[in-house]
Amino acid sequence: MKVLLFLLLAVAAHAQSPYPASAEHPAPAWFVNVAAQAGISVRNVNGSAENKRYIVEATGSGVAILDFDRDGWPDIYLVNGMQLSNATSAAKEKPTGHLFRNNHDGTFADVTAKAGLVSTGWGQGACVGDYDNDGFDDLYVTGYGKNRLFHNQGDGTFREVSEAASVAGTGKEWGTGCAFVDYDRDGRLDLVVADYVHFDLATTPAPGAEAGCMWKGAPVMCGPRGLPSAPNLLFHNEGAGRFKDVSQASGIEKTAGHYCFSVTTLDFNEDGWPDLYVACDSTPSILYRNNRNGTFTDVGADAGAAFNEDGREQAGMGSTAADYDGDGHLDLFKTNFSDDTSTLYHANGDGTFTDATQRAGLATNLDALGWGTMFADVDNDGFPDLLVANGHVYPEVDAAGLGASFREPRFLYWNQGNGTFKDVSKSSGPGLLEPLSGRGLAIADLWNDGRLEAVVNNLSDRPMLLVNEAKNRNHWLGVKLTGTASNRSAIGARVVVHGSKRDGVDEVRSGSSYNSSSDLRLHFGLGTETRVDSIEVCWPNGEREMFPAGKVDGLVELIEGKGSKLP
């Protein structure tokens, strides 16, 4: 085998966390919100904080994790909205998204202005990827109005290039989730955008004015039913910094009449080509199968991922993918509206899914309304757990006694390693208990110490930075992939970590959760294993390589072309 280029980062091998674990907090988790002391205190703005007359005020904003300056420490971008009055007001200070640079010591610096990212718009989601393969990850922000593409110029600054790159959209679609993905495997990242509705303040009815503007007898904001849906978008990367709208030609537009939120990429049928799962509100979910010829077909219903086990459409918000039961196949989890369960779709290994929500112990917490969610191995035992951010859309629920709360706690479902989960939310720290109306959620090992943190963007409130201070002795491995023939971010690559007892599998993905984008580095909990036998990578272009492995409890960089080729 060729010599592996290990980048066991000096900062990561035995990094000292600024928020150390304590033996008084046993595994799996004890989450504490350290956002204020970390310097992340900017307030999210999405219309009125307490009176949501229009649906655009209630859907909230996402989070993106990216190492924008390539110093090996993940940074945080918080998407922001605006006030309804901002659309016409001449106010000097308007809301903007915020970029926080990781100071390596447990704090972050707001570098929004310095980085050239001051930009007001009704932001919804964000995704990360190096679309021009220059080595620096770029940022795409969706919203009500035109979307924005920020090109990372490699000197700590960004330049807004959406119009020049032809990815701004028309301004009529309300963009929500997004993901960079090389769907045709040509080495350049393309861009998929989920759209919600065509929204017009001038024609949207007032709360309670129509049948679709009532909930449990109370007058509430209108939508999405009754509002015109907007088609999803797919932009093909033409090179030279430009994209082409291929939404119609690719078949993406054929699935019409849906109100879409999050986008999760995964190779669900394991043919080496990336597919797209889209969670939709009040309509069936979409599973776009990549036909390997530049087109997609929605096979959600046939594959068993469009409805729940009762054959009922749900109001999907966020989604995430991982191999929760260790069988080598990536499963799907989706959050839904209140008075319903979230949904766990178990991958059968033949391109189909089965609703496993009940048997996995996840048919709980029916009063909560779920949004951002990620599989995250919080105790590094090798079995991905589930984090969920919750919060209602109707402030009226508090006063009207409608069986729900506008501000809700977060959930942690601990994976018991036998195909079932246990709700440990109430015993896993104060960071999960404080009621807030959560929306976007992203995860990362922010201090390279082997523990996953979660960033939550709360609607019309301050964000949360959740640190797990529980003590555990399990081992871990972080994997950073760098493409050479494939896209530089290696988005779409599938990694299998071969251990002596069991294997771990995951894919590099942009987007996912609720309109958010987590760290592009992969994190594998190893349990008690003290070494890894080998690491297998199927690169986005279909080439497969095997890399020798060694030490654990650190980060390793695998560079395309430096391993041993596999047939």
Side-chain angles (χ1 to χ4, degrees), residues 128 179-181 263-267 319-323 330-332 374-375 489-494 505-513 516-522:
V128 174
F180 284 100
V181 60
V263 178
T264 293
T265 65
L266 77 162
D267 180 9
S319 59
T320 181
D323 176 16
L330 294 178
D331 312 292
L332 285 164
M374 287 295 294
F375 279 107
S489 299
I491 290 170
R494 177 176 285 228
V505 60
D506 204 353
E507 292 179 357
V508 181
R509 64 177 54 89
S510 167
S512 202
S513 185
S516 296
S517 199
S518 293
D519 193 352
L520 293 176
R521 303 177 304 180
L522 299 180

Side-chain angles (χ1 to χ4, degrees), residues 5 35 64 88 99 125 151 160 178 215 244 252 284 287 297 347 367 372 411 438 454 457 463 487 502 512 530 549 562:
L5 284 186
T88 56
L99 177 66
H151 177 254
E160 206 278 305
C178 64
W215 190 69
K244 179 181 179 181
I252 291 291
L287 180 59
T297 301
D367 57 333
F411 297 148
N457 207 347
N487 70 84
R502 55 189 298 268
S512 202
T530 57
K562 299 296 184 179

Side-chain angles (χ1 to χ4, degrees), residues 126-194:
C127 50
V128 174
D130 182 3
Y131 75 88
D132 58 348
N133 291 324
D134 66 354
F136 292 89
D137 285 327
D138 309 295
L139 178 68
Y140 187 73
V141 179
T142 64
Y144 163 47
K146 291 195 174 183
N147 304 319
R148 291 161 285 172
L149 175 62
F150 297 100
H151 177 254
N152 189 334
Q153 301 189 98
D155 59 359
T157 68
F158 291 79
R159 184 166 59 93
E160 206 278 305
V161 296
S162 53
E163 294 288 355
S166 301
V167 292
T170 65
K172 296 179 180 179
E173 302 88 5
W174 172 354
T176 51
C178 64
F180 284 100
V181 60
D182 182 8
Y183 74 89
D184 58 352
R185 306 200 324 187
D186 66 355
R188 297 188 295 263
L189 286 175
D190 312 298
L191 185 59
V192 58
V193 182

Side-chain angles (χ1 to χ4, degrees), residues 40 207 224 300 308 451 461:
I40 303 176
N308 69 359
R451 290 181 297 160
D461 216 315

Side-chain angles (χ1 to χ4, degrees), residues 16 35 44 63 112 137 142 149 152-153 202 230 277 300 322 329 415 430 444:
Q16 295 296 316
N44 175 264
V63 182
T112 309
D137 285 327
T142 64
L149 175 62
N152 189 334
Q153 301 189 98
Y277 181 73
H329 308 296
N415 191 330

